Amino acid sequence: RPLFSGISLGLGRGERVCLVGANGSGKSTILKALAGEIALASGEHFRTHGLGIGYLPQSPDLSRGGSVAEYVAAGLADADPADYRVQRALDHLSLDGAGDVATLSGGEGRRAALARVLAGEPDLMLLDEPTNHLDLPTIEWLEQELLDYPGGVLMISHDRAFLNRLTQRLLWLDRGRLFEME
């Protein structure tokens, strides 16, 4: 049975939109499809030519190993671990770039995945549960980063305080249909 059908979603520059719905309703699947991680069974997916998309999955795969800096740099088009954007993201998220990504704790792994998205400076960020495993100072830092971010953000979160401070639009996915909440 289809998770969703006949939905339409547009996101403009500078918009911060939250997607909510019951567990298993297809929220993460929508983000994966928009990120190009999975193909739609039917329908069409349009995006502006050259649009840079940064995707934070709910459970990033850190099992391949390598340094944290290499993992973060993989989010860049030119993938250079010494790039200033990688170093800036590592510094802001208090990560040791020389550490092995496969040995990171849950919170460190989430911060590394966030650093990877942020270092790429995408036009659109798709964030699946961005505050999971983060401490309060890091959540507060992330809130400010997203408030200052000039691109579009589509996020899934159950953190009501986080969403109240950031969200401009709220979308509800219910039984395969998408509704805009007021």
Side-chain angles (χ1 to χ4, degrees), residues 16 20-21 33 48 56 71 83 89 92-93 98 102 105 129 132 137 140 143 149 157 167 174 181-182:
R16 294 182 306 277
V20 297
T48 304
L56 174 71
Y71 173 79
D83 189 290
H92 282 296
L93 287 159
S105 70
E129 298 287 352
N132 278 5
E140 290 171 345
E143 286 175 3
Y149 177 64
S157 182
T167 302
D174 183 36
M181 307 300 289
E182 305 234 354

Side-chain angles (χ1 to χ4, degrees), residues 61-94:
D61 181 10
L62 306 173
S63 64
R64 289 191 176 150
S67 76
V68 174
E70 290 167 341
Y71 173 79
V72 172
L76 303 174
D78 50 5
D80 181 0
D83 189 290
Y84 75 93
R85 295 169 293 177
V86 172
Q87 297 308 312
R88 177 183 174 271
L90 292 171
D91 289 345
H92 282 296
L93 287 159
S94 303

Side-chain angles (χ1 to χ4, degrees), residues 49-134:
H49 178 71
L51 181 77
I53 296 180
Y55 171 57
L56 174 71
Q58 193 173 111
S59 300
D61 181 10
L62 306 173
S63 64
R64 289 191 176 150
S67 76
V68 174
E70 290 167 341
Y71 173 79
V72 172
L76 303 174
D78 50 5
D80 181 0
D83 189 290
Y84 75 93
R85 295 169 293 177
V86 172
Q87 297 308 312
R88 177 183 174 271
L90 292 171
D91 289 345
H92 282 296
L93 287 159
S94 303
L95 291 165
D96 176 9
D100 184 348
V101 75
T103 64
L104 298 177
S105 70
E108 292 168 329
R110 178 52 98 198
R111 290 194 332 259
L114 276 168
R116 182 177 176 146
V117 171
L118 295 169
E121 300 175 346
D123 301 303
L124 171 64
M125 282 195 266
L126 305 170
L127 307 175
D128 198 343
E129 298 287 352
T131 60
N132 278 5
H133 307 294
L134 296 181

